[in-house]
Amino acid sequence: MLLAMLFALVASAPVVRAADPENCLSCHRYRGLGRIDEEGKAHLYHVNPDYYDRALGPHSRLRCTDCHPREEVEVIPHKPVSPVNCATTCHLTGMGDVEITFSHEPILGMLESSVHNRETLDKVNAIMGRPLREGQAQCLLCHDEPVYRRPVEAWSATAAPVARCEVCHGPELPVDTHFMYWHVHARSRPARSHADITRACGLCHARPEVREAFGMPDTVASYLFSFHGKAMMLGSEETASCLDCHVGELENVHMMKSPGDPTSPTHPAQLADTCRSPECHPTAGARISSAAIHLDLSTSGGIEFFIAALFVLMILFTFGPSVVLQALEMLQIVIGRHDQRLHEHEHLAKRLMADPRGREALTRFSVHQRFQHWTLVICFTLLVLTGFPIKFADRAWARWLVEMFGGLHNVRMAHRYAGLVLMIGFVYHMVYAVVCAVRMKRATGQGWIKTILGLPMLTNPTDIKQLFHQLGYLLFLKKTRPELGRFSLKEKFEYFGVFWGSMLLGVTGLLMWANAYTTTYLPGRVLTVASLIHTMEAFLALLHVGIIHMVGVIFSPVVFPLSHAMTTGVTPVEELAEAHSGMLHEVAQKLGVEPAGEVHHG
Amino acid sequence: MAENVTHETQPGPTPAPRKSFFRRILAVLKELVLRCYALAILLVVLWAGYTAVAYLVRMVFTPARVPEEYRTWETALPGPHPEIMQIEKLAGLVPRAPIGHYHAVDRMLPPDLHNGCLTSGCHSTLAHSKRKEIRAFANLHATFLDCGMCHDASISGPTPAMWVDDATGEPCDAPAVLQLMKFLALEAGRVKDQPAEAHPTIESLLGDAVTRSADPLLKYLHAQISTSEPGSPVWRKAVNQLRDELPNHVRGEYGAKLARKMPAEELKAYHQRLAELAEPYLAAPKGTAERKRLHEEIHKGILEKPSACLACHGDEQGRLDFEALGYSPDQAAALRDSAIARQMEQIQQGQPFYLPKLLEGGNERR
């Protein structure tokens, strides 16, 4: 009678795929099939039919009893099910209904000779609080991670091409097209993204307890800090993931060796070949291997740390005082304090501006200079927009910005070519400065040294005096501001920053761009140092331009919404009166204008 | 008096001083805005400067840290799931299931937020745990059956039932998947001979099913059917594929549950009452008479031992009219006379059941 009932059961069961010949899914397809034990632990017996119907898993062509011993599950209620042994032999139905026997036992052999051997995995399991039960396959420590699941969307993505396969592979030429397609497709490219691989490795390698037990540094953090890691976080699948370096060329991932093993691709003797593999840096020099991939600045203690520390100090001693000065300037406005001679200076500026000669003499930037500045503005903006998303690759805004540019490749190209234009502009400016110096020398008849020292963008002892005067005014020790000339010390300092920064950023950028040539002649560590200097200098430049310069020329209430000095060349009266009164007096004197009188024409 | 008149007839304050006053106010306001703006810039400059320098110092002098996104990765390793024991923590959450890779289980059973037995915090989503023989099977029904359908002592014999939407707790139509299966089964002739007439129903029901399940294959078939001419080879192929596919979606995950037919307010009030009574019950010390009294009050009219499986799956006169609830005649017949249910009855009587090997099929679809 029971037999008859089961016949009825099978006949009445909804359609299920052939991979479930035992018809276990007639019950196990229900999500609610499960229970909660006395300890509050959930036991879910649900098996998603999609796993079989849509070949969503690697074992979709297996019977349930290939993994779960028949004697345990053939009886209802089932006996307690013992842990699955992945090294057991299972039976696949191949093409033409030919049965194929298969086992993962060779993989266990590979693991045993790898750094992830049984002893290591046992130790990890213990450190993690024994998530794997006694006898449960160690494979699950990695392979039960969500990373190894194939979502239903993946099946959907293959549905369209598979439909083409089924045009021929219909009833006359039956093939499990979904499985075959996936089998080939999955092996023709990496099955998992670099981000997923990093996450999977990070489950142990980023876990403090595991790192402590094995004496390992936080290699995941240092990888993510590296250029490879940042590219990965920005969606690049071309960059190196953990496996690209730590698994030998065309070797099985389960054979990963320790860097101390001479056969490991990360062993010092093998590392150069690993870096120069055809997929990575084939044209690089052998010395590329000394570039630091897992660099942690704070613990490295090498030259990289000292360079970074030096930059931090430089930023503190240059940017810090600039911030204080800028804040004090704003404070003057907040409390409504003005230079006692401000109205007098404003009056003089208005009178000079009313005269065409005065207006011309007060033009602080020529068309030529303005053109150079705007070229710099455009290049700088583009460099910031394409450079800083790489620096802050872990932030959502960085990924958004990279997407806006159409991906990391475009961002890199835009960054490199904007840098190139900036370098050309820098060389052009040097030529321009030399021409100006030659003209000045001819006009004044002075020697070269005096001419160069007299260039308006260079500092002189008067600037230092004026700086202290300015500080005295801002700290309420003096009642008047210093009478600054055409360029204040602040502007000269900014000019020097651009000058120095362009050189440093340009040279380090070129070293990284031409990394193959660099590593042919120089150690790979130069790339690490160049990358660090490039980053820190870019940071310094952004801080000065973004916080000090932009507030001064755009956001300051004196000039808001924008100082016209760099658009029309004419500096606003208020700005002239407050920040360039020395220039006003100089022009007035040249034109014979009495500070309180009228302009004398002729 | 004349002077007074003169004063009265003189024009009042001239517009000029009034304008001047207005301008003064404006000037004060302008100055205020300017100073506030300067203060804002001052604060932004200080904040940005501090943040930037602090970031740099951290970057250089403290060990590199894995970014948040990579630190909070999911881990599949199994552990206790206390969330499912406490319903308040479950609200709005669909926690991850235990080990699931090889069974493609990636989410826990969603809780029924309109069920007083659960929302009270007394019972979990998988409430049955005592009787080993049937606990998992009983829990299986939790996704599509209200507790009362088996545990209401007043139910006996054929019982009018209705579908209740899980999201709203309101009565709703039968799940679209069931309706569609029924339509394709009962109207097979019309689908074949008058496709244009059958098309709107198929398209509409399939659209509802897609909205509910977001299944990619149903979505694909919906697109095929919607964009092809009814009766064309493409349309017929898609409808045939749909007919084969739909049974795979009968898994009890409809977003609706079967409950005893009653006004929606009455059903809600019932569950609300359970949740309210549970509060003093849970607050009362264990073992007290008060706690016992409240327990009895809550469970008044509720069967601790539920109705037998055969009450619904036993014979023609079962508790539920499956066809009226939207099932196709074939499905209804299978549910009415379920071999599994009969088998469960046997197992409950202590007779384990062994699956015979000869029933295993080949690689054909069944």
Side-chain angles (χ1 to χ4, degrees), chain A residues 5-6 15 18 29 31 34-35 48 50 54 63 70 74 76 93 143-144 148-149 202 391 399 555, chain B residues 37 59 69 73 76 96 101 103 105 135 139 215 245 248 250-251 339 353 355 359-360 363 365:
Chain A
M5 276 196 255
L6 208 61
V15 175
R29 71 197 159 117
R31 195 174 289 281
R35 69 182 178 92
N48 188 343
D50 287 345
R54 296 174 181 179
R63 301 167 183 216
R70 169 172 290 279
E74 68 181 346
I76 298 175
T93 306
H143 283 274
D144 194 51
Y148 293 92
R149 299 180 185 189
K391 163 74 190 133
R399 284 195 288 273
F555 299 110
Chain B
Y37 175 72
M59 185 183 102
E69 180 191 339
W73 46 54
R96 253 206 68 183
H101 178 205
H103 293 154
V105 180
R135 59 193 174 193
N139 285 328
D215 181 81
E245 176 62 21
N248 291 336
V250 181
R251 306 178 193 172
F353 180 76
L355 297 161
L359 286 175
E360 292 178 8
N363 270 343
R365 267 179 171 272

Side-chain angles (χ1 to χ4, degrees), chain A residues 74-249:
Chain A
E74 68 181 346
V75 61
I76 298 175
H78 298 325
K79 291 177 183 170
V81 180
S82 52
V84 170
N85 176 7
C86 298
T88 194
T89 300
C90 49
H91 307 83
L92 299 170
T93 306
M95 300 275 279
D97 282 349
V98 178
E99 191 177 84
I100 304 165
T101 55
F102 180 80
S103 171
H104 290 302
E105 201 165 5
I107 301 290
L108 290 184
M110 290 178 192
L111 273 176
E112 207 45 47
S113 66
S114 80
V115 70
H116 298 131
N117 56 27
R118 179 174 291 277
E119 190 189 345
T120 305
L121 296 179
D122 269 343
K123 198 171 168 183
V124 170
N125 189 36
I127 293 167
M128 288 178 158
R130 301 201 177 277
L132 297 182
R133 285 176 287 137
E134 192 64 36
Q136 202 159 15
Q138 290 179 321
C139 313
L140 291 175
L141 266 179
C142 293
H143 283 274
D144 194 51
E145 291 308 318
V147 165
Y148 293 92
R149 299 180 185 189
R150 192 186 306 164
V152 73
E153 290 74 24
W155 172 86
S156 174
T158 61
V162 167
R164 279 180 63 79
C165 306
E166 285 177 345
V167 171
C168 297
H169 290 289
E172 293 78 23
L173 199 55
V175 168
D176 190 344
T177 48
H178 274 284
F179 178 80
M180 295 309 290
Y181 178 85
W182 188 261
H183 186 81
V184 176
H185 183 65
R187 284 154 183 78
S188 65
R189 58 173 182 72
R192 272 156 282 280
S193 70
H194 284 7
D196 285 344
I197 288 167
T198 309
R199 283 197 182 93
C201 297
L203 277 161
C204 295
H205 287 269
R207 195 179 284 246
E209 314 90 275
V210 176
R211 286 195 286 110
E212 198 179 322
F214 288 91
M216 295 187 297
D218 193 346
T219 45
V220 176
S222 54
Y223 166 73
L224 295 175
F225 182 76
S226 75
F227 187 75
H228 291 143
K230 289 178 190 300
M232 179 279 289
M233 286 191 277
L234 292 171
S236 170
E237 293 298 320
E238 285 81 39
T239 194
S241 73
C242 312
L243 303 185
D244 290 312
C245 300
H246 290 275
V247 178
E249 187 81 15

